[in-house]
Amino acid sequence: MPEKTLRRLLVRRAPTGKSQAILQAGPLRLRAAIGRSETTSRKREGDGATPIATMKLVSGYLRGDRVRETKTALPMQRALTTMLWCDAPDHASYNRPVKAPFRPSHERLMRDDELYDLCIVLDWNLSCRKRGCGSAIFFHIARPGYQPTEGCVALHPRDMRRLLPYLTARTRLQVL
């Protein structure tokens, strides 16, 4: 890639399947997975759709026991077993990181599968929260075969590692 940083990652639905996408990063075109319910401009909690939006890359988590430190300008932290993300719309911590033990609905950031081995938090409903409008929209590792996400954007681990050095807080991920 000729640029030192990427200002924009563009995600378009692929013609091959409703939860398949193409992520454009400068001159690169990479296969990606999106939500099981495709894309939407009216995102709701649990709808399985990827929001049509332009989102900042906020920060990230990495699974330190599986992934070595990765070169990136984004603030990254090692995921711990106590790290969770609240997805309970009625809770005060909705769409925020929380610590275990935590009874309301949540996602674990240190998953048994590899999806969050490298996980970037996107600014969807984060800086200006509206209850029920979607939480935990991440840019993370794809399941084998690029199976659908719950509303996130996902790449092959090789492609994620390839992009990370070029991502900064000024990078925007735009879903069309």
PDB file of all heavy atoms in Angstrom, residues 59-72 74-81 83 109-111 113-121 139 141 160-161 164:
ATOM      1  N   SER A  59     -10.875   2.199  19.141  1.00  0.00           N
ATOM      2  CA  SER A  59      -9.798   1.506  19.851  1.00  0.00           C
ATOM      3  C   SER A  59      -9.951   0.028  19.550  1.00  0.00           C
ATOM      4  O   SER A  59     -10.828  -0.357  18.792  1.00  0.00           O
ATOM      5  CB  SER A  59      -9.893   1.754  21.363  1.00  0.00           C
ATOM      6  OG  SER A  59     -11.122   1.246  21.857  1.00  0.00           O
ATOM      7  N   GLY A  60      -9.099  -0.783  20.165  1.00  0.00           N
ATOM      8  CA  GLY A  60      -9.208  -2.198  19.878  1.00  0.00           C
ATOM      9  C   GLY A  60      -8.774  -3.095  21.013  1.00  0.00           C
ATOM     10  O   GLY A  60      -8.205  -2.634  22.016  1.00  0.00           O
ATOM     11  N   TYR A  61      -9.078  -4.368  20.832  1.00  0.00           N
ATOM     12  CA  TYR A  61      -8.700  -5.416  21.777  1.00  0.00           C
ATOM     13  C   TYR A  61      -7.959  -6.494  20.993  1.00  0.00           C
ATOM     14  O   TYR A  61      -8.251  -6.738  19.827  1.00  0.00           O
ATOM     15  CB  TYR A  61      -9.944  -6.037  22.422  1.00  0.00           C
ATOM     16  CG  TYR A  61     -10.744  -5.060  23.224  1.00  0.00           C
ATOM     17  CD1 TYR A  61     -11.833  -4.392  22.662  1.00  0.00           C
ATOM     18  CD2 TYR A  61     -10.413  -4.787  24.548  1.00  0.00           C
ATOM     19  CE1 TYR A  61     -12.577  -3.487  23.405  1.00  0.00           C
ATOM     20  CE2 TYR A  61     -11.150  -3.881  25.291  1.00  0.00           C
ATOM     21  CZ  TYR A  61     -12.228  -3.236  24.711  1.00  0.00           C
ATOM     22  OH  TYR A  61     -12.952  -2.338  25.439  1.00  0.00           O
ATOM     23  N   LEU A  62      -7.025  -7.120  21.666  1.00  0.00           N
ATOM     24  CA  LEU A  62      -6.371  -8.265  21.059  1.00  0.00           C
ATOM     25  C   LEU A  62      -6.251  -9.376  22.070  1.00  0.00           C
ATOM     26  O   LEU A  62      -6.157  -9.147  23.271  1.00  0.00           O
ATOM     27  CB  LEU A  62      -5.013  -7.910  20.458  1.00  0.00           C
ATOM     28  CG  LEU A  62      -3.892  -7.381  21.333  1.00  0.00           C
ATOM     29  CD1 LEU A  62      -3.066  -8.513  21.911  1.00  0.00           C
ATOM     30  CD2 LEU A  62      -3.007  -6.507  20.486  1.00  0.00           C
ATOM     31  N   ARG A  63      -6.309 -10.578  21.576  1.00  0.00           N
ATOM     32  CA  ARG A  63      -6.207 -11.767  22.403  1.00  0.00           C
ATOM     33  C   ARG A  63      -4.714 -12.078  22.509  1.00  0.00           C
ATOM     34  O   ARG A  63      -4.137 -12.732  21.654  1.00  0.00           O
ATOM     35  CB  ARG A  63      -7.000 -12.893  21.743  1.00  0.00           C
ATOM     36  CG  ARG A  63      -6.985 -14.207  22.439  1.00  0.00           C
ATOM     37  CD  ARG A  63      -8.049 -14.287  23.533  1.00  0.00           C
ATOM     38  NE  ARG A  63      -7.848 -15.516  24.265  1.00  0.00           N
ATOM     39  CZ  ARG A  63      -8.684 -16.540  24.270  1.00  0.00           C
ATOM     40  NH1 ARG A  63      -9.829 -16.461  23.646  1.00  0.00           N
ATOM     41  NH2 ARG A  63      -8.394 -17.619  24.952  1.00  0.00           N
ATOM     42  N   GLY A  64      -4.080 -11.584  23.550  1.00  0.00           N
ATOM     43  CA  GLY A  64      -2.632 -11.663  23.713  1.00  0.00           C
ATOM     44  C   GLY A  64      -2.062 -13.060  23.776  1.00  0.00           C
ATOM     45  O   GLY A  64      -0.912 -13.268  23.415  1.00  0.00           O
ATOM     46  N   ASP A  65      -2.857 -14.032  24.206  1.00  0.00           N
ATOM     47  CA  ASP A  65      -2.345 -15.400  24.245  1.00  0.00           C
ATOM     48  C   ASP A  65      -2.375 -16.054  22.861  1.00  0.00           C
ATOM     49  O   ASP A  65      -1.814 -17.125  22.680  1.00  0.00           O
ATOM     50  CB  ASP A  65      -3.132 -16.246  25.250  1.00  0.00           C
ATOM     51  CG  ASP A  65      -4.610 -16.344  24.943  1.00  0.00           C
ATOM     52  OD1 ASP A  65      -5.157 -15.408  24.321  1.00  0.00           O
ATOM     53  OD2 ASP A  65      -5.227 -17.347  25.328  1.00  0.00           O
ATOM     54  N   ARG A  66      -3.014 -15.395  21.889  1.00  0.00           N
ATOM     55  CA  ARG A  66      -3.080 -15.937  20.531  1.00  0.00           C
ATOM     56  C   ARG A  66      -2.431 -15.033  19.490  1.00  0.00           C
ATOM     57  O   ARG A  66      -2.050 -15.493  18.421  1.00  0.00           O
ATOM     58  CB  ARG A  66      -4.536 -16.152  20.122  1.00  0.00           C
ATOM     59  CG  ARG A  66      -5.248 -17.194  20.928  1.00  0.00           C
ATOM     60  CD  ARG A  66      -6.649 -17.353  20.410  1.00  0.00           C
ATOM     61  NE  ARG A  66      -7.412 -18.288  21.225  1.00  0.00           N
ATOM     62  CZ  ARG A  66      -8.713 -18.430  21.137  1.00  0.00           C
ATOM     63  NH1 ARG A  66      -9.410 -17.719  20.286  1.00  0.00           N
ATOM     64  NH2 ARG A  66      -9.326 -19.298  21.917  1.00  0.00           N
ATOM     65  N   VAL A  67      -2.390 -13.736  19.777  1.00  0.00           N
ATOM     66  CA  VAL A  67      -1.887 -12.758  18.817  1.00  0.00           C
ATOM     67  C   VAL A  67      -0.753 -11.977  19.469  1.00  0.00           C
ATOM     68  O   VAL A  67      -0.924 -11.427  20.556  1.00  0.00           O
ATOM     69  CB  VAL A  67      -3.010 -11.772  18.394  1.00  0.00           C
ATOM     70  CG1 VAL A  67      -2.483 -10.724  17.439  1.00  0.00           C
ATOM     71  CG2 VAL A  67      -4.183 -12.522  17.799  1.00  0.00           C
ATOM     72  N   ARG A  68       0.375 -11.926  18.760  1.00  0.00           N
ATOM     73  CA  ARG A  68       1.472 -11.105  19.266  1.00  0.00           C
ATOM     74  C   ARG A  68       1.107  -9.637  19.103  1.00  0.00           C
ATOM     75  O   ARG A  68       0.220  -9.296  18.326  1.00  0.00           O
ATOM     76  CB  ARG A  68       2.758 -11.419  18.500  1.00  0.00           C
ATOM     77  CG  ARG A  68       3.319 -12.776  18.868  1.00  0.00           C
ATOM     78  CD  ARG A  68       4.590 -13.035  18.139  1.00  0.00           C
ATOM     79  NE  ARG A  68       4.211 -13.319  16.743  1.00  0.00           N
ATOM     80  CZ  ARG A  68       5.004 -13.148  15.711  1.00  0.00           C
ATOM     81  NH1 ARG A  68       6.218 -12.696  15.861  1.00  0.00           N
ATOM     82  NH2 ARG A  68       4.602 -13.425  14.484  1.00  0.00           N
ATOM     83  N   GLU A  69       1.804  -8.788  19.815  1.00  0.00           N
ATOM     84  CA  GLU A  69       1.551  -7.355  19.666  1.00  0.00           C
ATOM     85  C   GLU A  69       1.544  -6.989  18.187  1.00  0.00           C
ATOM     86  O   GLU A  69       2.357  -7.478  17.414  1.00  0.00           O
ATOM     87  CB  GLU A  69       2.626  -6.546  20.406  1.00  0.00           C
ATOM     88  CG  GLU A  69       2.533  -6.648  21.923  1.00  0.00           C
ATOM     89  CD  GLU A  69       1.267  -6.049  22.482  1.00  0.00           C
ATOM     90  OE1 GLU A  69       0.823  -4.991  22.005  1.00  0.00           O
ATOM     91  OE2 GLU A  69       0.712  -6.648  23.421  1.00  0.00           O
ATOM     92  N   THR A  70       0.628  -6.144  17.808  1.00  0.00           N
ATOM     93  CA  THR A  70       0.469  -5.770  16.423  1.00  0.00           C
ATOM     94  C   THR A  70       0.757  -4.292  16.256  1.00  0.00           C
ATOM     95  O   THR A  70       0.313  -3.485  17.060  1.00  0.00           O
ATOM     96  CB  THR A  70      -0.977  -6.072  15.963  1.00  0.00           C
ATOM     97  OG1 THR A  70      -1.279  -7.422  16.297  1.00  0.00           O
ATOM     98  CG2 THR A  70      -1.132  -5.887  14.495  1.00  0.00           C
ATOM     99  N   LYS A  71       1.495  -3.966  15.225  1.00  0.00           N
ATOM    100  CA  LYS A  71       1.842  -2.573  14.973  1.00  0.00           C
ATOM    101  C   LYS A  71       0.623  -1.828  14.429  1.00  0.00           C
ATOM    102  O   LYS A  71       0.092  -2.166  13.374  1.00  0.00           O
ATOM    103  CB  LYS A  71       2.989  -2.494  13.976  1.00  0.00           C
ATOM    104  CG  LYS A  71       3.478  -1.095  13.750  1.00  0.00           C
ATOM    105  CD  LYS A  71       4.642  -1.064  12.803  1.00  0.00           C
ATOM    106  CE  LYS A  71       5.035   0.391  12.564  1.00  0.00           C
ATOM    107  NZ  LYS A  71       6.103   0.512  11.595  1.00  0.00           N
ATOM    108  N   THR A  72       0.180  -0.847  15.170  1.00  0.00           N
ATOM    109  CA  THR A  72      -0.933   0.011  14.759  1.00  0.00           C
ATOM    110  C   THR A  72      -0.909   1.278  15.603  1.00  0.00           C
ATOM    111  O   THR A  72      -0.415   1.267  16.731  1.00  0.00           O
ATOM    112  CB  THR A  72      -2.302  -0.707  14.905  1.00  0.00           C
ATOM    113  OG1 THR A  72      -3.314   0.173  14.402  1.00  0.00           O
ATOM    114  CG2 THR A  72      -2.615  -1.081  16.330  1.00  0.00           C
ATOM    115  N   LEU A  74      -3.677   2.686  16.462  1.00  0.00           N
ATOM    116  CA  LEU A  74      -4.899   2.660  17.271  1.00  0.00           C
ATOM    117  C   LEU A  74      -4.582   2.238  18.705  1.00  0.00           C
ATOM    118  O   LEU A  74      -3.740   1.366  18.905  1.00  0.00           O
ATOM    119  CB  LEU A  74      -5.899   1.660  16.684  1.00  0.00           C
ATOM    120  CG  LEU A  74      -6.575   2.051  15.392  1.00  0.00           C
ATOM    121  CD1 LEU A  74      -7.338   0.867  14.819  1.00  0.00           C
ATOM    122  CD2 LEU A  74      -7.498   3.231  15.596  1.00  0.00           C
ATOM    123  N   PRO A  75      -5.255   2.811  19.677  1.00  0.00           N
ATOM    124  CA  PRO A  75      -5.062   2.329  21.053  1.00  0.00           C
ATOM    125  C   PRO A  75      -5.613   0.906  21.180  1.00  0.00           C
ATOM    126  O   PRO A  75      -6.775   0.661  20.877  1.00  0.00           O
ATOM    127  CB  PRO A  75      -5.856   3.311  21.910  1.00  0.00           C
ATOM    128  CG  PRO A  75      -6.636   4.173  20.984  1.00  0.00           C
ATOM    129  CD  PRO A  75      -6.190   3.915  19.594  1.00  0.00           C
ATOM    130  N   MET A  76      -4.762  -0.020  21.564  1.00  0.00           N
ATOM    131  CA  MET A  76      -5.148  -1.426  21.691  1.00  0.00           C
ATOM    132  C   MET A  76      -4.889  -1.882  23.118  1.00  0.00           C
ATOM    133  O   MET A  76      -3.935  -1.429  23.750  1.00  0.00           O
ATOM    134  CB  MET A  76      -4.327  -2.307  20.742  1.00  0.00           C
ATOM    135  CG  MET A  76      -4.474  -1.980  19.266  1.00  0.00           C
ATOM    136  SD  MET A  76      -6.043  -2.465  18.552  1.00  0.00           S
ATOM    137  CE  MET A  76      -5.862  -4.233  18.453  1.00  0.00           C
ATOM    138  N   GLN A  77      -5.720  -2.770  23.607  1.00  0.00           N
ATOM    139  CA  GLN A  77      -5.471  -3.374  24.907  1.00  0.00           C
ATOM    140  C   GLN A  77      -5.698  -4.867  24.837  1.00  0.00           C
ATOM    141  O   GLN A  77      -6.472  -5.354  24.009  1.00  0.00           O
ATOM    142  CB  GLN A  77      -6.294  -2.725  26.013  1.00  0.00           C
ATOM    143  CG  GLN A  77      -7.777  -2.803  25.862  1.00  0.00           C
ATOM    144  CD  GLN A  77      -8.479  -2.105  27.013  1.00  0.00           C
ATOM    145  OE1 GLN A  77      -8.196  -2.364  28.172  1.00  0.00           O
ATOM    146  NE2 GLN A  77      -9.399  -1.223  26.680  1.00  0.00           N
ATOM    147  N   ARG A  78      -5.006  -5.560  25.692  1.00  0.00           N
ATOM    148  CA  ARG A  78      -5.114  -7.009  25.745  1.00  0.00           C
ATOM    149  C   ARG A  78      -6.444  -7.372  26.401  1.00  0.00           C
ATOM    150  O   ARG A  78      -6.773  -6.880  27.473  1.00  0.00           O
ATOM    151  CB  ARG A  78      -3.941  -7.559  26.545  1.00  0.00           C
ATOM    152  CG  ARG A  78      -3.853  -9.041  26.529  1.00  0.00           C
ATOM    153  CD  ARG A  78      -2.625  -9.509  27.270  1.00  0.00           C
ATOM    154  NE  ARG A  78      -2.607 -10.960  27.286  1.00  0.00           N
ATOM    155  CZ  ARG A  78      -1.532 -11.686  27.236  1.00  0.00           C
ATOM    156  NH1 ARG A  78      -0.362 -11.113  27.205  1.00  0.00           N
ATOM    157  NH2 ARG A  78      -1.608 -12.997  27.249  1.00  0.00           N
ATOM    158  N   ALA A  79      -7.209  -8.255  25.749  1.00  0.00           N
ATOM    159  CA  ALA A  79      -8.493  -8.693  26.296  1.00  0.00           C
ATOM    160  C   ALA A  79      -8.251  -9.618  27.485  1.00  0.00           C
ATOM    161  O   ALA A  79      -7.360 -10.460  27.455  1.00  0.00           O
ATOM    162  CB  ALA A  79      -9.298  -9.416  25.227  1.00  0.00           C
ATOM    163  N   LEU A  80      -9.046  -9.434  28.519  1.00  0.00           N
ATOM    164  CA  LEU A  80      -8.989 -10.266  29.713  1.00  0.00           C
ATOM    165  C   LEU A  80     -10.323 -10.983  29.886  1.00  0.00           C
ATOM    166  O   LEU A  80     -11.347 -10.542  29.349  1.00  0.00           O
ATOM    167  CB  LEU A  80      -8.700  -9.403  30.946  1.00  0.00           C
ATOM    168  CG  LEU A  80      -7.436  -8.547  30.900  1.00  0.00           C
ATOM    169  CD1 LEU A  80      -7.394  -7.599  32.087  1.00  0.00           C
ATOM    170  CD2 LEU A  80      -6.202  -9.424  30.825  1.00  0.00           C
ATOM    171  N   THR A  81     -10.324 -12.046  30.655  1.00  0.00           N
ATOM    172  CA  THR A  81     -11.560 -12.812  30.858  1.00  0.00           C
ATOM    173  C   THR A  81     -12.651 -11.983  31.541  1.00  0.00           C
ATOM    174  O   THR A  81     -13.825 -12.296  31.415  1.00  0.00           O
ATOM    175  CB  THR A  81     -11.294 -14.083  31.685  1.00  0.00           C
ATOM    176  OG1 THR A  81     -10.688 -13.716  32.912  1.00  0.00           O
ATOM    177  CG2 THR A  81     -10.403 -15.047  30.926  1.00  0.00           C
ATOM    178  N   MET A  83     -13.354  -8.874  30.821  1.00  0.00           N
ATOM    179  CA  MET A  83     -13.826  -7.810  29.927  1.00  0.00           C
ATOM    180  C   MET A  83     -15.056  -8.252  29.151  1.00  0.00           C
ATOM    181  O   MET A  83     -15.035  -9.259  28.456  1.00  0.00           O
ATOM    182  CB  MET A  83     -12.717  -7.396  28.966  1.00  0.00           C
ATOM    183  CG  MET A  83     -11.559  -6.731  29.623  1.00  0.00           C
ATOM    184  SD  MET A  83     -10.298  -6.386  28.382  1.00  0.00           S
ATOM    185  CE  MET A  83      -9.336  -5.171  29.247  1.00  0.00           C
ATOM    186  N   LEU A 109     -15.391 -10.285  25.574  1.00  0.00           N
ATOM    187  CA  LEU A 109     -14.365  -9.826  24.645  1.00  0.00           C
ATOM    188  C   LEU A 109     -13.241 -10.849  24.484  1.00  0.00           C
ATOM    189  O   LEU A 109     -12.518 -10.815  23.495  1.00  0.00           O
ATOM    190  CB  LEU A 109     -13.807  -8.472  25.087  1.00  0.00           C
ATOM    191  CG  LEU A 109     -14.836  -7.338  25.011  1.00  0.00           C
ATOM    192  CD1 LEU A 109     -14.268  -6.051  25.568  1.00  0.00           C
ATOM    193  CD2 LEU A 109     -15.317  -7.137  23.584  1.00  0.00           C
ATOM    194  N   MET A 110     -13.128 -11.762  25.434  1.00  0.00           N
ATOM    195  CA  MET A 110     -12.145 -12.846  25.317  1.00  0.00           C
ATOM    196  C   MET A 110     -12.933 -14.112  24.998  1.00  0.00           C
ATOM    197  O   MET A 110     -13.280 -14.897  25.872  1.00  0.00           O
ATOM    198  CB  MET A 110     -11.328 -12.997  26.594  1.00  0.00           C
ATOM    199  CG  MET A 110     -10.144 -13.909  26.438  1.00  0.00           C
ATOM    200  SD  MET A 110      -9.067 -13.712  27.865  1.00  0.00           S
ATOM    201  CE  MET A 110      -7.797 -14.858  27.431  1.00  0.00           C
ATOM    202  N   ARG A 111     -13.206 -14.292  23.711  1.00  0.00           N
ATOM    203  CA  ARG A 111     -14.053 -15.392  23.243  1.00  0.00           C
ATOM    204  C   ARG A 111     -13.257 -16.680  23.083  1.00  0.00           C
ATOM    205  O   ARG A 111     -12.042 -16.647  22.920  1.00  0.00           O
ATOM    206  CB  ARG A 111     -14.665 -15.019  21.895  1.00  0.00           C
ATOM    207  CG  ARG A 111     -15.615 -13.839  21.974  1.00  0.00           C
ATOM    208  CD  ARG A 111     -16.064 -13.422  20.598  1.00  0.00           C
ATOM    209  NE  ARG A 111     -16.703 -14.513  19.868  1.00  0.00           N
ATOM    210  CZ  ARG A 111     -17.968 -14.509  19.468  1.00  0.00           C
ATOM    211  NH1 ARG A 111     -18.746 -13.478  19.745  1.00  0.00           N
ATOM    212  NH2 ARG A 111     -18.461 -15.519  18.802  1.00  0.00           N
ATOM    213  N   ASP A 113     -13.752 -18.678  20.456  1.00  0.00           N
ATOM    214  CA  ASP A 113     -13.393 -18.740  19.038  1.00  0.00           C
ATOM    215  C   ASP A 113     -12.418 -17.597  18.743  1.00  0.00           C
ATOM    216  O   ASP A 113     -12.011 -16.873  19.642  1.00  0.00           O
ATOM    217  CB  ASP A 113     -14.636 -18.685  18.150  1.00  0.00           C
ATOM    218  CG  ASP A 113     -15.463 -17.416  18.352  1.00  0.00           C
ATOM    219  OD1 ASP A 113     -14.930 -16.399  18.840  1.00  0.00           O
ATOM    220  OD2 ASP A 113     -16.663 -17.439  18.018  1.00  0.00           O
ATOM    221  N   GLU A 114     -12.061 -17.410  17.498  1.00  0.00           N
ATOM    222  CA  GLU A 114     -11.053 -16.399  17.158  1.00  0.00           C
ATOM    223  C   GLU A 114     -11.633 -15.054  16.724  1.00  0.00           C
ATOM    224  O   GLU A 114     -10.887 -14.151  16.371  1.00  0.00           O
ATOM    225  CB  GLU A 114     -10.114 -16.930  16.074  1.00  0.00           C
ATOM    226  CG  GLU A 114     -10.771 -17.161  14.745  1.00  0.00           C
ATOM    227  CD  GLU A 114      -9.790 -17.637  13.677  1.00  0.00           C
ATOM    228  OE1 GLU A 114      -8.658 -18.004  13.986  1.00  0.00           O
ATOM    229  OE2 GLU A 114     -10.189 -17.612  12.501  1.00  0.00           O
ATOM    230  N   LEU A 115     -12.947 -14.883  16.766  1.00  0.00           N
ATOM    231  CA  LEU A 115     -13.568 -13.675  16.226  1.00  0.00           C
ATOM    232  C   LEU A 115     -13.002 -12.380  16.799  1.00  0.00           C
ATOM    233  O   LEU A 115     -12.837 -11.406  16.066  1.00  0.00           O
ATOM    234  CB  LEU A 115     -15.090 -13.708  16.442  1.00  0.00           C
ATOM    235  CG  LEU A 115     -15.898 -14.308  15.311  1.00  0.00           C
ATOM    236  CD1 LEU A 115     -15.495 -15.713  14.975  1.00  0.00           C
ATOM    237  CD2 LEU A 115     -17.365 -14.192  15.578  1.00  0.00           C
ATOM    238  N   TYR A 116     -12.733 -12.342  18.090  1.00  0.00           N
ATOM    239  CA  TYR A 116     -12.221 -11.116  18.701  1.00  0.00           C
ATOM    240  C   TYR A 116     -10.729 -11.207  19.020  1.00  0.00           C
ATOM    241  O   TYR A 116     -10.222 -10.444  19.834  1.00  0.00           O
ATOM    242  CB  TYR A 116     -12.997 -10.778  19.971  1.00  0.00           C
ATOM    243  CG  TYR A 116     -14.459 -10.414  19.751  1.00  0.00           C
ATOM    244  CD1 TYR A 116     -15.295 -10.258  20.835  1.00  0.00           C
ATOM    245  CD2 TYR A 116     -14.996 -10.227  18.488  1.00  0.00           C
ATOM    246  CE1 TYR A 116     -16.633  -9.931  20.669  1.00  0.00           C
ATOM    247  CE2 TYR A 116     -16.322  -9.909  18.308  1.00  0.00           C
ATOM    248  CZ  TYR A 116     -17.138  -9.754  19.402  1.00  0.00           C
ATOM    249  OH  TYR A 116     -18.478  -9.424  19.230  1.00  0.00           O
ATOM    250  N   ASP A 117     -10.006 -12.110  18.368  1.00  0.00           N
ATOM    251  CA  ASP A 117      -8.552 -12.152  18.569  1.00  0.00           C
ATOM    252  C   ASP A 117      -7.944 -10.800  18.202  1.00  0.00           C
ATOM    253  O   ASP A 117      -7.009 -10.338  18.843  1.00  0.00           O
ATOM    254  CB  ASP A 117      -7.906 -13.264  17.748  1.00  0.00           C
ATOM    255  CG  ASP A 117      -8.127 -14.639  18.351  1.00  0.00           C
ATOM    256  OD1 ASP A 117      -8.851 -14.755  19.371  1.00  0.00           O
ATOM    257  OD2 ASP A 117      -7.582 -15.616  17.796  1.00  0.00           O
ATOM    258  N   LEU A 118      -8.469 -10.159  17.177  1.00  0.00           N
ATOM    259  CA  LEU A 118      -8.177  -8.768  16.818  1.00  0.00           C
ATOM    260  C   LEU A 118      -9.535  -8.118  16.595  1.00  0.00           C
ATOM    261  O   LEU A 118     -10.287  -8.534  15.713  1.00  0.00           O
ATOM    262  CB  LEU A 118      -7.348  -8.677  15.543  1.00  0.00           C
ATOM    263  CG  LEU A 118      -5.891  -9.071  15.663  1.00  0.00           C
ATOM    264  CD1 LEU A 118      -5.256  -9.215  14.284  1.00  0.00           C
ATOM    265  CD2 LEU A 118      -5.134  -8.057  16.495  1.00  0.00           C
ATOM    266  N   CYS A 119      -9.859  -7.132  17.394  1.00  0.00           N
ATOM    267  CA  CYS A 119     -11.201  -6.557  17.381  1.00  0.00           C
ATOM    268  C   CYS A 119     -11.106  -5.043  17.538  1.00  0.00           C
ATOM    269  O   CYS A 119     -10.547  -4.553  18.525  1.00  0.00           O
ATOM    270  CB  CYS A 119     -12.010  -7.171  18.529  1.00  0.00           C
ATOM    271  SG  CYS A 119     -13.652  -6.488  18.711  1.00  0.00           S
ATOM    272  N   ILE A 120     -11.624  -4.316  16.567  1.00  0.00           N
ATOM    273  CA  ILE A 120     -11.615  -2.850  16.592  1.00  0.00           C
ATOM    274  C   ILE A 120     -13.032  -2.366  16.909  1.00  0.00           C
ATOM    275  O   ILE A 120     -14.000  -2.783  16.267  1.00  0.00           O
ATOM    276  CB  ILE A 120     -11.177  -2.266  15.228  1.00  0.00           C
ATOM    277  CG1 ILE A 120      -9.858  -2.870  14.750  1.00  0.00           C
ATOM    278  CG2 ILE A 120     -11.116  -0.743  15.284  1.00  0.00           C
ATOM    279  CD1 ILE A 120      -8.683  -2.631  15.629  1.00  0.00           C
ATOM    280  N   VAL A 121     -13.147  -1.493  17.890  1.00  0.00           N
ATOM    281  CA  VAL A 121     -14.434  -0.908  18.271  1.00  0.00           C
ATOM    282  C   VAL A 121     -14.758   0.218  17.296  1.00  0.00           C
ATOM    283  O   VAL A 121     -13.944   1.123  17.089  1.00  0.00           O
ATOM    284  CB  VAL A 121     -14.386  -0.355  19.716  1.00  0.00           C
ATOM    285  CG1 VAL A 121     -15.701   0.305  20.083  1.00  0.00           C
ATOM    286  CG2 VAL A 121     -14.013  -1.459  20.698  1.00  0.00           C
ATOM    287  N   PHE A 139     -15.201  -4.277  14.162  1.00  0.00           N
ATOM    288  CA  PHE A 139     -14.463  -4.686  12.965  1.00  0.00           C
ATOM    289  C   PHE A 139     -13.555  -5.798  13.469  1.00  0.00           C
ATOM    290  O   PHE A 139     -12.640  -5.543  14.239  1.00  0.00           O
ATOM    291  CB  PHE A 139     -13.685  -3.474  12.449  1.00  0.00           C
ATOM    292  CG  PHE A 139     -12.890  -3.694  11.204  1.00  0.00           C
ATOM    293  CD1 PHE A 139     -13.327  -4.523  10.190  1.00  0.00           C
ATOM    294  CD2 PHE A 139     -11.696  -3.015  11.037  1.00  0.00           C
ATOM    295  CE1 PHE A 139     -12.575  -4.684   9.037  1.00  0.00           C
ATOM    296  CE2 PHE A 139     -10.947  -3.171   9.894  1.00  0.00           C
ATOM    297  CZ  PHE A 139     -11.383  -4.002   8.885  1.00  0.00           C
ATOM    298  N   ILE A 141     -12.420 -10.419  13.270  1.00  0.00           N
ATOM    299  CA  ILE A 141     -12.026 -11.575  12.464  1.00  0.00           C
ATOM    300  C   ILE A 141     -13.272 -12.326  11.983  1.00  0.00           C
ATOM    301  O   ILE A 141     -14.214 -12.529  12.745  1.00  0.00           O
ATOM    302  CB  ILE A 141     -11.123 -12.528  13.288  1.00  0.00           C
ATOM    303  CG1 ILE A 141      -9.894 -11.785  13.822  1.00  0.00           C
ATOM    304  CG2 ILE A 141     -10.743 -13.771  12.483  1.00  0.00           C
ATOM    305  CD1 ILE A 141      -8.994 -11.188  12.770  1.00  0.00           C
ATOM    306  N   MET A 160      -6.760  -8.689   8.228  1.00  0.00           N
ATOM    307  CA  MET A 160      -6.808  -7.757   9.363  1.00  0.00           C
ATOM    308  C   MET A 160      -5.390  -7.350   9.771  1.00  0.00           C
ATOM    309  O   MET A 160      -5.103  -6.165   9.967  1.00  0.00           O
ATOM    310  CB  MET A 160      -7.549  -8.386  10.543  1.00  0.00           C
ATOM    311  CG  MET A 160      -7.697  -7.460  11.728  1.00  0.00           C
ATOM    312  SD  MET A 160      -8.743  -6.026  11.447  1.00  0.00           S
ATOM    313  CE  MET A 160     -10.343  -6.728  11.764  1.00  0.00           C
ATOM    314  N   ARG A 161      -4.495  -8.326   9.885  1.00  0.00           N
ATOM    315  CA  ARG A 161      -3.098  -8.016  10.252  1.00  0.00           C
ATOM    316  C   ARG A 161      -2.434  -7.144   9.187  1.00  0.00           C
ATOM    317  O   ARG A 161      -1.631  -6.277   9.502  1.00  0.00           O
ATOM    318  CB  ARG A 161      -2.302  -9.298  10.460  1.00  0.00           C
ATOM    319  CG  ARG A 161      -2.623 -10.015  11.767  1.00  0.00           C
ATOM    320  CD  ARG A 161      -1.654 -11.141  12.078  1.00  0.00           C
ATOM    321  NE  ARG A 161      -1.606 -12.162  11.036  1.00  0.00           N
ATOM    322  CZ  ARG A 161      -2.423 -13.203  10.963  1.00  0.00           C
ATOM    323  NH1 ARG A 161      -3.359 -13.384  11.877  1.00  0.00           N
ATOM    324  NH2 ARG A 161      -2.309 -14.079   9.975  1.00  0.00           N
ATOM    325  N   LEU A 164      -3.901  -3.430   9.805  1.00  0.00           N
ATOM    326  CA  LEU A 164      -3.679  -2.762  11.099  1.00  0.00           C
ATOM    327  C   LEU A 164      -2.593  -1.687  11.104  1.00  0.00           C
ATOM    328  O   LEU A 164      -2.808  -0.619  11.681  1.00  0.00           O
ATOM    329  CB  LEU A 164      -3.402  -3.783  12.198  1.00  0.00           C
ATOM    330  CG  LEU A 164      -4.640  -4.346  12.883  1.00  0.00           C
ATOM    331  CD1 LEU A 164      -4.255  -5.452  13.856  1.00  0.00           C
ATOM    332  CD2 LEU A 164      -5.451  -3.286  13.579  1.00  0.00           C
TER     333      LEU A 164
END
